[in-house]
């Protein structure tokens, strides 16, 4: 094997951004004699604050991994399927691109194109994906893992409630955090390195965390208390706690609820807002004036009612808060919550009280001369609580806890993350991303990751997409619920007049990240006539279905104009700096590797659609990076640009004339100080958020009418479209077969990124020595009752007879009724030999069908009832 | 938490330690036999003395070669003697080097090639032999001190360790001399009987000492783990079948039979082989069950990594 | 005289393995060798069980067992308390590995590739770099190597790699002989203790309580 060595032989440090996960930490890379020899944190940036994690450092091994894809290859074995041998044959770039262009030109209908991309290279998908979709004219795309490994319900809910992609506690001031199935601050890519530091600081000064999780996770082991809970029951526990707070303790932040939420909005008996007949604005009841006022009236103040019943225009109506209070009292008695969740009544009572006590309702703090409410309590969540049929509702319920005590985007509370409010660079005012109010006063995000915003909801219209994502009014980006044998029937029932033809895949390994591999491949991926894929490794996806694989650059070999906006997972909370970070090649691409964005632009040019491509770039930028493109730097559709030209223009437009690509390459970043009203924006920004989801009623009704008109009312559970917080059981909770006595769930180790890092030799070496990651964890008492010993090989089988096997590890840190398996392991692709057979492929137990889909958000259910029995053999350890 | 035994000193080391133990002991038995032979009527004792000294010398030499080959950097072994003030390896190397020197002199001038030189002057050779005897007794015990110096391995770091190694080495050495003499020396019934008595006594002592040793291994978790490993864990087959049944019970029964019935060389052969295996099995069992103390931080205990 | 030491705050450490990996990259350690190993453990019984990672480094003991047992004189201690191994003297007898209570000494027979299935005998450029680095200087195969608190970085005024990378800032490095240094203060205030003091090695690495 030979490698072209870079021309410069001088040692140098290159400042760029890490791509080991979606956290986008700033790093610097040392190049010695043309070889990258060191990766370290860049202390100049708040995104990572000079630190670096195991995944990041280990990328050295990925850059030079001899198993990488280095040349374009084509499939010579026409047979596709899980475990098929593609019999790759090396081809030239010209042949590869010619074939691709020919396939595009011969399409029956361009709408039959599908873009499937990875969540890991999150900044790389901002340009080529939407631009090519618009240029070629199709609407099908999917971010792999979107359902199973990422946060469908969480991002949806955070968008509505916090204008943000995620929430984390403000550890600068937080004293009490409730964790529901998430590891923020303990390795999760949510500002991973800064969060780790702050949560440690907070812990050191006495912050207490209580973790609800079926297993003793990293965060649970660092926490003050671990509360074992059955999977998927987070919502009902919190409804119980809300019941305690509202009806037993009688404590809430009335000032916040009255001014920053729709808690005082008057609700008619039909569930809808009582509206002002003239302006159509929702009405509130001012108790002092004894009359109804619109939500934006100057009398919509502290005197509005949260409780009671009032008659407005002859109709009896009730503030939504009163409805919520009654609802939880009637429908969520603590005994019921205990029965479902296994969390005791006394625990719920105690923790609910601790939560409100720590919120210190009424307290304030002055930061940089500005006074803010201080609410040092927060409830946060992620994968664990939202990987269920009740994904959307679990998340909304959890955040209502924050809303009740006013602990949202104020010092100490639950913070939208990355901070959604940015006033822009001092020189240019961009990116400017201040949320604004809809006509009903509720918050709408600005500066969002996708074109479709979480609120207002997607209009209910006949689905047009191959994956039927547009069938779900609240779906943010999941798309896999149609991987069933009757997909074709959905197509015909919904009169979709085109069929899948070409799939473009960027880095995704959907065979391993959607659900059980067989169904995904047979029922979905094999429907495409032609699939070409950008990859750094040949993985389960490429070997199963790809026709042409193009050698992609890794993040150390490519340009990306911005990785820290839209601010999702990289900015710290609290006062620090905004940072605009770029990604740049540390070494020239090795072998024949080429960057994805560059190649997609090339394909657009060869197809002759570059004008639309450039125009689409111009359209994308304002949504992603807040603020229109100036005329000076907007792409002129008639011109010809390289990918680096585009990067340069984006940078100059956002940061100023003298901050183009060449300038940014020197430092890798541009930063400017944050303001307290950006970080703690909840009160400065004049918007409200819902605790009563009136808009669900209409969405549900319309959906029902629509799907009835197609003769398919069965596609959704319309009960989910209710305005008041409700917990719905998962299919696993309703499986009462005593043979299936355990819940299996998957968890994410902090030193792996989804399915992308298992072939990393260093991370594999760590994992081999780790006592949990490659093993199936089971409660020791339960294991012994089944006659199992450590490292016995066991079968784990679901009620469809699908089974996986692996060595068991009996532990104390596991709920008795549960079985924990690290997700995305157990690879089998020949292209990633290090990862083969290490750990288990949990997703094989998961069904990609509507029964396991959240009707609200299209989130996928990832918990499953299983039985366990001994297989042959033991693992030697 | 599961404590794991060290895996860095393996069977090569066990064989080396056993060969040193058996070899130095055989030499010592040889010296004793030579003293006995001077006044004895039969020259069987003197023949036995030569067999003991020669075989012991050769065995120690082989042992040293084995351990040398196993070193990470054998070329640096020339520095191994440099730290006798603190290191038991240095002490051992010095003892064994001196032993080899005096052993070589003894063998060369008493057995081959200059065998005649000391044949006629018992006083001179006894002088050299006594030095060799002292060195061999140091050599047979040294491995016990070598292991005993490892404080974190409780199963090794015990005053019993040199005694165990001493008795086991002498036992194996005696068995070796008995085995070889049974074949090579005619008319050695009486001396062989003495050896059989010696083996019986050493064997019974070994039983007792192992009992005392295991009984004492209960103070700390790593010692208990080592004992469990020997008694009913990973090393239990080696310990029970190898050390106890083959290594001790079998020879003891045979020797008992031999002492009471006066059976011949054939039976000593079985006893001899089994008895020579005992030091090897025992050392391997002890090495393979050497467990480092867990690391303690706060209320947590950790098994030492990379074992 | 400076005596370099570590303080590792177990309360802050959440077990991410970053130190172990950063050390591997910084010191170009081959497969199987990690100077900054992390050891996970679980104690207690359900539901009161606890898990805590223990990140290790060489303890640079004031009374190093490894130096005591070293027969060749390869192991020495410099004026700053750093225990060093002389590649030209060490014979690889592994006695130090037995005697060290902390598992700080390690040895490999040869630099093995991480990619035995790569289908090529030639190492990739990075692995070749690692192998060259490993075999140059005072490290190498067949000898009992160890952590030296990244003295090459410390001499340049930088922190050891495991300290610099630690996301949780759980590690302190400095002069423990100076009672006013940050590390001495933190050890004193947080009641830092060495691991297993019963062996009498007087380590320079202190652990702050996990809870």
């Amino acid at each position: 094997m030979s490698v072209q060595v870079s021309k410069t032989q001088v040692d140098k440090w290159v400042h760029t951004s890490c791509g080991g996960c979606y956290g986008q930490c700033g790093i610097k890379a040392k190049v010695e004699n043309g070889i990258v020899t060191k990766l370290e944190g860049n202390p100049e940036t708040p995104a990572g604050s000079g630190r670096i994690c195991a995944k990041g450092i280990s990328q050295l091994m990925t850059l030079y991994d001899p198993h990488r894809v280095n040349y374009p290859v084509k499939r010579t074995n026409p047979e596709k399927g899980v475990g098929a041998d593609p019999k790759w044959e090396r081809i030239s770039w010209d042949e590869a691109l010619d074939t691709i262009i020919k396939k595009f030109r011969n399409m029956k209908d361009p709408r039959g194109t599908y873009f499937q991309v990875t969540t890991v290279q999150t900044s790389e998908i901002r340009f080529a994906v939407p631009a090519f979709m618009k240029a070629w004219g199709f609407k099908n795309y999917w971010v792999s893992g979107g359902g199973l490994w990422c946060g469908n319900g969480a991002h949806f809910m955070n968008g509505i409630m916090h204008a943000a992609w995620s929430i984390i506690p403000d550890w600068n001031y937080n004293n009490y955090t409730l964790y529901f199935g998430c590891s923020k601050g303990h390795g999760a890519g949510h500002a991973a390195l800064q969060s780790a530091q702050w949560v440690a600081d907070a812990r050191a000064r006495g912050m207490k965390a209580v973790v609800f999780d079926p297993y003793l996770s990293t965060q649970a082991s660092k926490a003050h208390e671990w509360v074992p809970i059955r999977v998927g029951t987070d919502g009902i526990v919190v409804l119980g706690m809300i019941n305690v707070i509202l009806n037993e303790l009688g404590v809430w932040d009335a000032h916040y609820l009255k001014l920053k939420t729709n808690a005082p909005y008057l609700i008619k008996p039909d569930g809808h807002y009582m509206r002002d007949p003239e302006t159509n604005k929702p009405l509130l009841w001012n108790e002092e004036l004894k009359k109804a006022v619109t939500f934006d009236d100057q009398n919509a103040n502290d005197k509005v009612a949260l409780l009671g019943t009032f008659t407005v225009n002859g109709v009896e109506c009730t503030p939504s808060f009163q409805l919520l209070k009654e609802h939880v009292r009637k429908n969520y008695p603590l005994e019921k919550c205990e029965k479902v969740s296994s969390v005791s009544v006394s625990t719920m009572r105690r923790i609910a009280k601790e939560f409100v006590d720590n919120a210190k309702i009424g307290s304030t703090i002055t930061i940089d001369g500005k006074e803010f409410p201080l609410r040092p309590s927060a409830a946060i969540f992620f994968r664990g609580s939202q990987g269920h049929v009740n994904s959307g509702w679990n998340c909304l319920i959890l955040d209502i806890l924050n809303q009740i005590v006013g602990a949202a985007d104020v010092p100490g509370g639950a913070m939208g993350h990355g901070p959604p409010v940015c006033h822009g660079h001092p020189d240019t005012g961009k990116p400017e991303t201040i949320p604004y109010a809809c006509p009903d006063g509720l918050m709408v995000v600005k500066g969002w990751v996708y074109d479709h915003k979480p609120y207002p909801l997607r209009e209910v219209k006949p689905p047009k997409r191959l994956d039927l994502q547009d069938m779900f009014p609240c779906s943010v980006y999941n798309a896999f619920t149609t991987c069933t044998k009757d997909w074709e029937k959905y197509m015909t029932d919904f009169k979709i007049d085109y069929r899948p033809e070409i799939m473009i895949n960027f880095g995704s390994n959907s065979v391993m990240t959607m659900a059980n591999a067989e169904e995904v491949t047979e029922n979905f991926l094999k429907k495409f006539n032609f699939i070409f894929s950008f990859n750094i490794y040949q993985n389960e996806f490429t070997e199963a279905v790809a026709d042409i694989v193009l050698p992609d650059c890794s993040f150390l070999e490519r340009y990306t104009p911005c990785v820290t906006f839209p601010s999702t997972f990289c900015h710290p909370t609290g006062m620090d700096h905004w940072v605009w970070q770029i990604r740049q090649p540390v070494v020239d691409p090795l072998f024949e590797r080429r960057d994805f964005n560059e190649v997609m632009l090339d394909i657009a040019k060869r197809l002759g659609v570059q004008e639309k491509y450039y125009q689409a770039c111009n359209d994308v930028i304002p949504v992603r990076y807040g603020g229109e493109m100036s005329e000076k730097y907007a792409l002129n559709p008639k011109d010809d640009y390289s990918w680096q030209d585009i990067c340069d223009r984006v940078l100059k437009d956002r940061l100023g004339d003298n901050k183009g690509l060449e300038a940014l390459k020197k430092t890798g970043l541009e930063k400017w100080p944050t303001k307290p009203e950006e970080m703690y924006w909840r009160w400065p920004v004049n918007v409200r958020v819902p605790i009563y989801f009136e808009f669900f009623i209409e969405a549900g009704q319309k959906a029902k009418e629509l799907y009835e008109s197609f003769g398919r009312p069965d596609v959704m559970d319309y009960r989910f479209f209710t305005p008041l917080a409700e917990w719905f059981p998962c299919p696993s909770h309703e499986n009462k077969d005593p043979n299936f006595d355990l819940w299996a769930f998957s968890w994410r180790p902090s030193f792996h990124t989804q399915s992308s890092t298992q072939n990393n030799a260093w991370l594999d070496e760590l994992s081999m020595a780790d006592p949990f990651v490659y093993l199936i964890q089971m409660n020791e008492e339960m294991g012994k009752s089944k006659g199992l010993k450590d490292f016995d090989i066991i079968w784990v089988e679901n009620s469809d007879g699908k089974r996986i096997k692996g060595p068991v590890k009996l532990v104390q840190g596991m709920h008795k009724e549960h079985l924990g398996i690290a997700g995305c392991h157990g690879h089998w692709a020949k292209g990633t030999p290090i990862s083969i057979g290490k750990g288990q492929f949990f997703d094989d137990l998961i069904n990609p069908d509507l029964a396991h889909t959240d009707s609200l958000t299209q989130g996928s259910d990832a918990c499953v009832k299983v039985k366990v029995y001994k297989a042959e053999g033991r693992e030697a350890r | 938490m599961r404590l794991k035994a060290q895996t860095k000193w393996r069977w090569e080391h066990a064989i080396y330690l056993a060969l040193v133990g058996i070899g130095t002991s055989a030499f010592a038995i040889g010296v004793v036999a030579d003293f006995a032979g001077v006044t004895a009527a039969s020259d069987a004792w003197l023949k036995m003395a030569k067999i003991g000294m020669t075989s012991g010398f050769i065995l120690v030499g082989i042992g040293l070669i084995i351990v040398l080959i196993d070193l990470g950097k054998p070329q640096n072994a020339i520095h191994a003697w440099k730290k006798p003030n603190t290191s038991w390896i240095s002490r051992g190397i010095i003892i064994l080097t001196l032993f080899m020197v005096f052993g070589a002199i003894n063998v060369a001038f008493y057995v081959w090639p200059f065998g005649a030189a000391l044949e006629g002057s018992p006083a001179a050779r006894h002088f050299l032999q006594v030095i060799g005897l002292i060195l061999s007794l140091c050599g047979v015990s040294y491995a016990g001190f070598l292991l005993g110096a490892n404080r974190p391995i409780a199963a090794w770091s015990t005053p019993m360790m040199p005694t165990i190694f001493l008795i086991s080495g002498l036992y194996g050495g005696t068995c070796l001399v008995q085995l070889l003499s049974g074949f090579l020396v005619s008319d050695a019934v009486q001396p062989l009987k003495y050896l059989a008595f010696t083996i019986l006594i050493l064997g019974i002592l070994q039983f007792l000492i192992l009992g005392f040793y295991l009984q004492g291994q209960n103070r700390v978790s790593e010692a208990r783990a080592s004992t469990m490993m020997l008694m009913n864990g990973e090393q239990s087959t080696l310990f029970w079948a190898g050390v106890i049944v083959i290594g001790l019970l079998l020879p003891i029964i045979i020797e008992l039979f031999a002492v009471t019935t006066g059976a011949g060389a054939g039976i000593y052969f079985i006893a001899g082989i089994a008895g020579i295996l005992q030091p090897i099995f025992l050392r391997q069992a002890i090495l393979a069950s050497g467990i480092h103390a867990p690391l303690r931080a706060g209320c947590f205990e950790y098994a030492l990594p990379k074992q | 005289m400076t005596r370099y030491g570590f303080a590792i705050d177990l309360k802050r450490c959440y077990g991410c393995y970053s130190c172990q990996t950063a050390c591997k990259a910084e010191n170009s350690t081959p497969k199987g060798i990690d100077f900054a190993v992390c050891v996970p453990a679980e104690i207690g019984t359900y539901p009161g069980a606890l898990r805590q990672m223990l990140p290790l480094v060489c303890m640079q003991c004031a009374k190093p067992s490894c130096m005591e047992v070293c027969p060749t004189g390869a192991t020495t201690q410099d004026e700053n308390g750093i225990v060093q191994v002389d590649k030209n003297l060490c014979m690889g007898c592994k006695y130090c590995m037995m005697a060290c209570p902390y598992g700080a000494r390690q040895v490999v027979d040869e630099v093995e590739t991480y990619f035995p299935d790569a289908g090529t005998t030639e190492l990739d450029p990075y692995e070749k770099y690692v192998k060259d680095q490993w075999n140059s200087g005072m490290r190498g195969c067949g000898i009992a190597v160890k952590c030296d608190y990244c003295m090459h970085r410390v001499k340049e005024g930088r922190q050891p790699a495991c300290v610099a990378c630690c996301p949780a800032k759980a590690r302190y490095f400095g002069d423990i002989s100076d009672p006013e240094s940050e590390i001495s203060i933190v050890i004193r205030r947080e009641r830092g203790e060495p691991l297993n003091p019963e062996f009498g090695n007087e380590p320079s690495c202190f652990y702050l309580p996990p809870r």
Side-chain angles (χ1 to χ4, degrees), chain A residues 306-367:
Chain A
L306 288 175
L307 301 175
T309 305
F310 310 95
T311 307
V312 180
N313 302 334
V315 181
E316 198 168 83
C317 43
T318 318
S320 69
F321 185 71
Q322 167 85 44
L323 293 179
L324 176 67
K325 185 167 177 281
E326 283 306 303
H327 169 66
V328 290
R329 187 179 61 77
K330 243 187 282 170
N331 299 318
Y332 293 96
L334 296 183
E335 293 69 23
K336 173 181 165 184
C337 304
E338 172 179 311
K339 199 158 170 254
V340 173
S341 68
S342 83
V343 176
S344 72
V345 169
S346 62
T347 304
M348 281 184 270
R349 276 211 174 93
R350 175 169 54 79
I351 291 173
K353 181 161 191 324
E354 287 174 7
F355 184 78
V356 290
D357 285 352
N358 276 288
K360 296 189 177 146
I361 295 168
S363 63
T364 60
I365 186 171
T366 301
I367 297 169

Side-chain angles (χ1 to χ4, degrees), chain A residues 145-147 149-156 165 382-383 386 391 476-477:
Chain A
W149 298 109
C150 206
N152 219 43
H155 301 321
F156 156 74
W165 197 236
F382 198 53
R383 270 301 308 163
Q386 62 111 56
S391 175
V476 178
Y477 71 153

Side-chain angles (χ1 to χ4, degrees), chain A residues 162-279:
Chain A
H162 294 267
W165 197 236
S166 183
I167 55 171
I168 58 176
D170 178 23
W171 281 297
N172 300 287
Y173 302 104
N174 181 277
N175 290 331
Y176 193 80
T177 300
L178 301 181
Y179 280 75
F180 290 89
C182 70
S183 62
K184 301 172 194 207
H186 303 83
H190 301 219
L193 304 177
Q194 307 89 315
S195 300
Q197 192 179 310
W198 295 320
V199 75
D201 284 343
R203 205 184 296 125
R205 69 167 162 72
M207 182 272 278
K208 290 185 170 47
V210 177
V211 175
F212 292 80
D213 224 316
Y215 80 119
L216 182 57
S217 56
T218 312
Q219 56 278 15
S221 39
K222 297 311 292 178
H224 197 60
E225 183 176 353
W226 168 45
V227 183
I229 181 176
R230 283 195 191 115
V231 285
T233 64
D234 315 53
I236 198 165
V237 169
V238 174
L239 284 167
M241 283 162 57
I242 292 175
N243 185 5
V244 172
I245 295 170
L246 299 187
N247 294 306
E248 292 182 16
L249 304 172
V251 181
W252 51 82
D253 187 344
H255 183 60
Y256 178 88
L257 288 168
K258 285 171 182 176
L259 297 177
K260 303 307 294 180
T261 71
N262 72 356
Y265 283 27
L266 295 172
I267 308 299
K268 293 187 289 183
D270 67 359
H272 285 286
Y273 294 144
M274 183 73 199
R275 292 178 184 273
D276 179 38
E278 275 171 41
T279 60

